[in-house]
Amino acid sequence: MKKMLAVILMAAMMVSTFSGCSGNGSGETEESENSTTASVESSEEASEETSGETVTYGVLAPLTGDASVYGISTSNGIKMGAEDVNENGGVLGKTLELEVMDEKADIAEATNAYNALRSQEVSAIIGDVTSKPAMAVAEIAAEEYADGDGIPVITPTGTTPDITPNGENIFRACYTDPFQGKAMATFAAENLGATKVAVMYNTSDDYSTGIANAFVETAEEKGIEIVANEGYGADDNDFKTQLTKIQALNPDAIMVPDYYNNVALIATQAREIGYDGVMLGADGWDGVLNVLDDANKSVVNNCYFCNHFFINDTDEKVANFVKEYKETYGEDPTAFSALGYDAVCILDEATEKAGSTDPEAVVAAMQELEYDGVTGHITFDENGDPIKDVAILKLEDGAVTLETKLAAE
């Protein structure tokens, strides 16, 4: 399913300056409903007042199905980024439009949606959201670009490392899985002084496995002893056997690279068997407090995880983004929202730098870009992966605080 999204902001709505992709300051946008189709409403009258010249980005996201919580959050950030681009003059002075397609986190749906967007001659693709569809799209897009008929593609949130090496036109706004594992091992060794760590990971999940493997490798390089490396399956919900074994080894910390639903179960059961030590995680922990009852939030006390941004960061760009997002959607943004926002802004700034929507010019500009975004100061390495600081967050007493930031390497 697709829907053309004309992202147009009328002069009458310009009550103050946005936090936008190309601007500074803060401001307010007309409140819109949080639609599961990620639509951006605009008036026909506003369309008639424009010159008719537009730049269109295609967007791929799971807006229905099991992964829709991630797709909707990401597409909301993309929508808001596009609104801010238009508030600040559009792309090369032209109105930015989004053509959003729901690919249901399915590889076949994603490739079909990509081909449909290409037939509409979009200037760039933002997507996909989850790693396997993002990988499938990257393979096709890179092959087309190598044949002289491709466009820039940026995944906001696809973390598997194999996405960007497909081609020079493929980029990402997020960290990779190995990067997160390395960052948390560095934090455990250098900030917590850990010498013995246990690992628990989902053996059926590429995300969990990839982070766990990178964590173990870096931890051992830094002199940490991995006292246990316990796996579990996708359908498991009783983790006390693994946790009891781990507790007997008296580790300084337990690394659990998984998504927040499993994390909530594992942390709860760890505390039930008497483990009160440090637990570590990656960006999949974002939102764990939302799935824990108020009386049970203490199970994640003394826990740390890395994330792409900190919602209470005092940085002006972050604060303005959070304020605007809450006013627009009536809820706090997630890291997916922030990465979606940055993905739009990165494409906008690269296109402005290139002075053209020509794919080769935009790709070259992306490779040389320095962008100050919601998720940090970003440059790209030779693979199109971002080089930026990583936020290490602490969970304590039902709140998230910024423990530290590890500098980009």
Side-chain angles (χ1 to χ4, degrees), residues 73-158:
S73 184
T74 305
S75 62
N76 282 348
I78 293 169
K79 284 191 298 179
M80 202 173 82
E83 289 172 347
D84 283 3
V85 166
N86 284 330
E87 173 66 12
N88 285 284
V91 180
L92 300 174
K94 300 178 181 180
T95 300
L96 173 60
E97 294 184 342
L98 302 177
E99 177 84 2
V100 177
M101 300 194 75
D102 176 13
E103 44 66 70
K104 306 175 180 65
D106 179 83
I107 292 174
E109 292 267 5
T111 54
N112 289 338
Y114 170 82
N115 290 330
L117 290 171
R118 290 290 287 123
S119 71
Q120 297 174 43
E121 298 184 351
V122 298
S123 296
I125 297 280
I126 304 172
D128 212 308
V129 169
T130 54
S131 285
K132 289 182 179 180
M135 181 69 178
V137 167
E139 290 173 350
I140 300 171
E143 184 176 349
E144 289 180 346
Y145 190 80
D147 291 340
D149 188 31
I151 57 175
V153 174
I154 182 167
T155 171
T157 55

Side-chain angles (χ1 to χ4, degrees), residues 10-32:
M10 299 170 60
M13 294 169 61
M14 295 170 59
V15 296
S16 58
T17 304
F18 264 80
S19 61
C21 300
S22 303
N24 298 309
S26 63
E28 296 181 359
T29 181
E30 181 179 286
E31 186 174 349
S32 60

